[in-house]
Amino acid sequence: MTDKSDRRNMTENAIEITGLKKTYAGHRGQEPKTALEGIDLAIPSGSIFGLLGPNGAGKSTLINILAGLVLKSAGRVKIWGFDQDVNPRQSRAAIGVMPQELNMDPFFTPRASLDVQAGLYGVPRRQRRTDEILEMIGLTDKAGAYSRSLSGGMRRRLLLGKALVHSPQVLVLDEPTAGVDIELRQMLWQNVRELNRQGMTIILTTHYLQEAEEMCDEIAIIDKGKLIVQDKTSKLLERMDAKTLVITPVSPPPSTLSVPGTTIAHQDGRIALTYHRSATSPDDILSALRAQGVRLQDVATQEAHLEDVFLDLTRSRG
């Protein structure tokens, strides 16, 4: 596998989507359903990119279009520089998808599953990395066991392995940690970080927003088939103007405590003062507290989390 700098020099964006639309035909007299309404999206090469949105937002449709499983109604999709309409084989070869559903042949062993998947992508036998992938996903000792005998976590690891058999430049993880235990989650993220370090672009969909906040360099949020926002994760968090200063006083504060520009809440002997950074500074708050005789034992801050940003953006759309 080439290193990260070499891969990034090949193309600035791993994925380029322009005007992407998808409308599903209505059945039995039902109206057609629009799943995507003109999505424009650029995913930088070498990034870990979060694709977030509530249920029914259009994430699965978008992923299935990238994977070549669903035909778009309109728009343009380029994967690793290959236009889906012009170079469909090359664009599909550039992407690997770890699906959310645990679909696999119960009578295939992990080794056989990886070999068959590699064959479907036309990977010559001498170039297959079956043993390397089995070791990476922790299934070397289960290489000869029937898939039906594997635990749910092992099957999910096998799905990751199948997505990697053709050494794609882009890896899509669709809700990869849904319903898995902590140990498997840690193993998965260790693998993902290593693949990204080697240059692979990772696209992650997840309902665990803390996970996206910790893992993703950049995030796009879609809702009702439209792109709501795309930005660096740090920039998205900065959009939330509200911040909370948590004070632990040496002694109980006066009952008449009042700090202009803040909302005060008492929490188990502590004082939580929520304010807007654009209007009030921590220095102003601390000065106001000292002026009222409040002696400070400890001071902590609470920043906005991605969940706050997500809820704020999606709720504002009704």
Side-chain angles (χ1 to χ4, degrees):
M1 190 173 288
T2 57
D3 65 32
K4 194 164 184 173
S5 60
D6 289 340
R7 289 196 170 203
R8 288 189 67 98
N9 289 336
M10 292 179 65
T11 175
E12 180 181 357
N13 292 318
I15 304 285
E16 293 181 355
I17 297 172
T18 307
L20 184 61
K21 297 182 180 181
K22 177 60 184 178
T23 300
Y24 292 100
H27 295 286
R28 298 180 181 178
Q30 294 182 344
E31 293 292 324
K33 180 181 178 181
T34 299
L36 297 174
E37 298 188 37
I39 295 286
D40 294 326
L41 187 64
I43 299 177
S45 297
S47 65
I48 300 181
F49 190 93
L51 182 63
L52 309 182
N55 290 331
K59 302 187 301 299
S60 294
T61 296
L62 194 155
I63 289 172
N64 287 332
I65 289 174
L66 291 177
L69 301 176
V70 170
L71 296 177
K72 63 185 185 296
S73 300
R76 187 181 184 191
V77 175
K78 295 177 70 176
I79 303 174
W80 209 247
F82 297 109
D83 191 304
Q84 270 191 341
D85 297 327
V86 180
N87 304 106
R89 290 186 61 187
Q90 291 92 331
S91 66
R92 289 188 186 184
I95 192 169
V97 179
M98 177 184 173
Q100 184 178 163
E101 297 80 14
L102 294 173
N103 292 328
M104 58 187 63
D105 191 316
F107 297 102
F108 276 20
T109 66
R111 183 181 298 281
S113 293
L114 296 182
D115 277 337
V116 168
Q117 189 78 358
L120 292 175
Y121 277 99
V123 181
R125 286 193 175 277
R126 65 183 179 278
Q127 295 180 16
R128 295 180 187 177
R129 303 161 43 238
T130 302
D131 289 336
E132 177 188 339
I133 292 173
L134 285 169
E135 182 177 358
M136 186 194 76
I137 61 178
L139 289 181
T140 299
D141 61 338
K142 297 289 184 179
Y146 285 130
S147 296
R148 62 183 177 181
S149 69
L150 302 179
S151 67
M154 292 177 181
R155 295 182 187 186
R156 195 161 290 279
R157 279 186 261 164
L158 181 55
L159 289 179
L160 173 60
K162 291 175 67 176
L164 296 172
V165 294
H166 58 297
S167 302
Q169 286 86 0
V170 182
L171 174 65
V172 179
L173 305 173
D174 189 7
E175 297 287 348
T177 58
V180 305
D181 59 33
I182 295 176
E183 183 179 359
L184 175 57
R185 185 173 300 172
Q186 290 176 340
M187 173 183 287
L188 176 65
W189 292 139
Q190 181 180 349
N191 289 336
V192 167
R193 287 190 173 99
E194 176 59 23
L195 290 168
N196 180 248
R197 188 192 66 79
Q198 295 174 5
M200 188 174 290
T201 302
I202 312 293
I203 301 174
L204 167 68
T205 77
T206 180
H207 281 92
Y208 300 115
L209 298 185
Q210 182 180 354
E211 206 166 65
E213 184 175 336
E214 293 175 357
M215 291 293 298
C216 297
D217 310 311
E218 193 166 329
I219 287 172
I221 298 176
I222 64 174
D223 189 20
K224 299 177 182 177
K226 296 181 179 180
L227 179 66
I228 306 305
V229 66
Q230 177 185 352
D231 211 337
K232 299 287 187 183
T233 306
S234 58
K235 295 292 185 182
L236 281 176
L237 295 174
E238 288 176 4
R239 290 184 179 217
M240 295 300 291
D241 193 40
K243 189 172 182 178
T244 301
L245 205 61
V246 180
I247 306 297
T248 303
V250 174
S251 57
S255 58
T256 58
L257 184 67
S258 176
V259 179
T262 71
T263 301
I264 300 176
H266 296 271
Q267 304 174 345
D268 299 324
R270 297 180 298 171
I271 311 168
L273 302 103
T274 301
Y275 63 99
H276 291 280
R277 287 178 284 190
S278 58
T280 307
S281 73
D283 283 342
D284 293 336
I285 295 173
L286 295 176
S287 295
L289 291 172
R290 293 190 182 98
Q292 297 175 71
V294 178
R295 295 174 57 205
L296 308 179
Q297 178 177 315
D298 189 32
V299 178
T301 59
Q302 292 179 352
E303 299 282 353
H305 291 288
L306 184 58
E307 183 174 358
D308 302 318
V309 180
F310 180 86
L311 292 174
D312 183 65
L313 290 170
T314 54
R315 282 173 179 169
S316 66
R317 292 175 48 80

